[in-house]
Amino acid sequence: MTNMQNNTDENFNEDFERLMKQFLSEEYKDVKLDDMQTEEDDDICTDDPLPCDVIEQNQNVRVKVEILRPIDNPQEELQKLVGCGNIKKRMDELVALTAYNRMLHERFPELKQHRVSLHSLFLGNPGTGKTTVCKIFGALLHEAGALSKGHVVICDRGTFIGTLWGDEERAMKQVVEMAQGGVLMIDEAYLLNGKNENDPGKIIVQLLMNLLADESQRDIAVVLCGYKEPMNELLETNPGLLSRFPNRFEFADFSVDELLEITSHRIEKYSYRFTVKAWQKYTDMIALAFSARDTETWGNARFIANQLERIYIQHATRCVKQPPKNHNDLLLITPEDIVPIEMPRRKNRIGFGV
């Protein structure tokens, strides 16, 4: 082998290693947050510092809270979402009314203002884009002048439930302070509807009601997220709670065509390409998985993200073992890279049949 060939091979290996490091460092750093259709890392505004992301339930227990920065160009990001036609329309209407109300108040301060509630329900299965839309929601309301910051604070039952008396109230006060100027998103909010009469989740619901009734808390939007039916059960437990959330956004499961469109957007981010046969194999598998899906465990865009992860790993393994002769083939997904789909199984329920 000549020196020129040695140099070529070394350069090839260096290029491959660089691409792999870039892929591993970027592709999955936000998988948990990517509910998700898109990754807007390049569109995040970094001008304003975020609040501290840790709360103290008591002297012995500290809980980390996820805080998302507002994004730039939220209207553009909203329109880029796959599907979600009804969500886009309702979001535009709410933002337009908010902006209109602000304009009226500035020009005619003596007139009575419309009472625009920003508190919303995001109802749908996992992977339908609720977290992504929540980020856009906060940024849109910030642009419209309804929120002073537009960031999103993500909480769940575990954020509030502590080990000592009074932990729930302490946690709620800190979380509300974090979310001032932005969106307080409570994920899987239906878990606050504990079946036990003394379940501490009921305390959280009451504290939330107090927050929503406080007229001084105008610079905040509360979004409750979760499966549609359990969320309806939560709302029925307290009629006042339902009236406080007039904005209802229902996130439908993606169709096969929409899942394939999401796939295309994700692989284009890293310049991957499917061969014709690989794409046909992939589309057939997605269609089969969709037809056999369990609606209680189906992950929508999250399912696509997980499947692509497995394909990327298979592709990388193949390229390491048998490096392609052409550098461009490092980005070419072949039928050998399309691994079988692992369908999630429905969790067994504990109880007694009638």
Side-chain angles (χ1 to χ4, degrees), residues 232-243:
N232 286 335
E233 293 177 8
L234 169 66
L235 297 171
E236 288 172 0
T237 63
N238 192 320
L241 189 62
L242 177 61
S243 66

Side-chain angles (χ1 to χ4, degrees), residues 83-153:
C84 302
N86 63 320
I87 302 295
K88 296 174 185 177
K89 183 175 182 295
R90 290 280 293 109
M91 196 72 66
D92 283 340
E93 291 172 348
L94 179 59
V95 171
L97 178 58
T98 302
Y100 172 78
N101 194 47
R102 179 169 176 263
M103 180 175 62
L104 278 183
H105 178 64
E106 290 176 349
R107 299 186 181 182
F108 306 101
E110 72 281 0
L111 295 182
K112 183 178 180 179
Q113 294 186 58
H114 293 286
R115 296 297 300 273
V116 182
S117 175
L118 306 179
H119 308 314
S120 306
L121 301 172
F122 282 15
L123 310 178
N125 292 330
T128 48
K130 297 187 292 296
T131 303
T132 299
V133 172
C134 206
K135 289 172 64 176
I136 295 172
F137 188 44
L140 283 173
L141 292 175
H142 174 57
E143 282 194 349
L147 295 176
S148 61
K149 298 178 181 178
H151 64 294
V152 179
V153 176

Side-chain angles (χ1 to χ4, degrees), residues 243-298:
S243 66
R244 297 289 182 178
F245 289 87
N247 307 305
R248 187 183 182 98
F249 298 90
E250 297 194 14
F251 293 71
D253 285 349
F254 294 112
S255 67
V256 172
D257 288 342
E258 289 169 341
L259 292 173
L260 295 177
E261 186 177 350
I262 291 170
T263 298
S264 296
H265 289 329
R266 294 183 69 88
I267 66 171
E268 286 173 4
K269 181 178 177 67
Y270 297 96
S271 301
Y272 281 109
R273 309 183 316 280
F274 280 80
T275 66
V276 173
K277 291 184 178 180
W279 182 249
Q280 186 60 56
K281 182 178 179 180
Y282 178 81
T283 56
D284 289 345
M285 291 176 63
I286 295 300
L288 181 61
F290 183 84
S291 65
R293 74 193 186 282
D294 180 344
T295 55
E296 291 190 11
T297 58
W298 181 246

Side-chain angles (χ1 to χ4, degrees), residues 16-32:
F16 178 78
E17 184 177 356
R18 176 179 55 79
L19 286 170
M20 282 297 296
K21 286 181 178 179
Q22 178 183 356
F23 167 73
L24 292 173
S25 65
E26 294 182 4
E27 175 65 11
Y28 301 114
K29 62 184 178 183
D30 290 328
V31 165
K32 181 180 178 183

Side-chain angles (χ1 to χ4, degrees), residues 25-188:
S25 65
E26 294 182 4
E27 175 65 11
Y28 301 114
K29 62 184 178 183
D30 290 328
V31 165
K32 181 180 178 183
L33 303 184
D34 190 358
D35 202 21
M36 302 283 302
Q37 303 183 48
T38 58
E39 298 175 20
E40 300 97 359
D41 296 342
D42 295 336
D43 300 309
I44 293 177
C45 175
T46 58
D47 294 339
D48 298 326
L50 293 176
C52 174
D53 61 354
V54 175
I55 65 169
E56 295 185 2
Q57 290 180 346
N58 55 60
Q59 293 181 343
N60 301 317
V61 180
R62 305 178 78 217
V63 178
K64 189 175 179 63
V65 176
E66 198 166 26
I67 303 178
L68 309 179
R69 291 185 178 278
I71 61 174
D72 291 332
N73 305 315
Q75 186 59 242
E76 180 181 337
E77 294 301 320
L78 179 65
Q79 298 310 317
K80 282 166 55 178
L81 291 178
V82 175
C84 302
N86 63 320
I87 302 295
K88 296 174 185 177
K89 183 175 182 295
R90 290 280 293 109
M91 196 72 66
D92 283 340
E93 291 172 348
L94 179 59
V95 171
L97 178 58
T98 302
Y100 172 78
N101 194 47
R102 179 169 176 263
M103 180 175 62
L104 278 183
H105 178 64
E106 290 176 349
R107 299 186 181 182
F108 306 101
E110 72 281 0
L111 295 182
K112 183 178 180 179
Q113 294 186 58
H114 293 286
R115 296 297 300 273
V116 182
S117 175
L118 306 179
H119 308 314
S120 306
L121 301 172
F122 282 15
L123 310 178
N125 292 330
T128 48
K130 297 187 292 296
T131 303
T132 299
V133 172
C134 206
K135 289 172 64 176
I136 295 172
F137 188 44
L140 283 173
L141 292 175
H142 174 57
E143 282 194 349
L147 295 176
S148 61
K149 298 178 181 178
H151 64 294
V152 179
V153 176
I154 302 179
C155 303
D156 57 22
R157 177 185 170 94
T159 307
F160 304 102
I161 306 300
T163 57
L164 301 177
W165 184 86
D167 282 352
E168 291 78 20
E169 186 171 2
R170 282 189 289 271
M172 177 64 77
K173 287 181 178 179
Q174 293 174 73
V175 166
V176 169
E177 184 177 349
M178 281 183 185
Q180 284 299 314
V183 176
L184 172 58
M185 172 181 167
I186 303 180
D187 198 17
E188 297 183 316

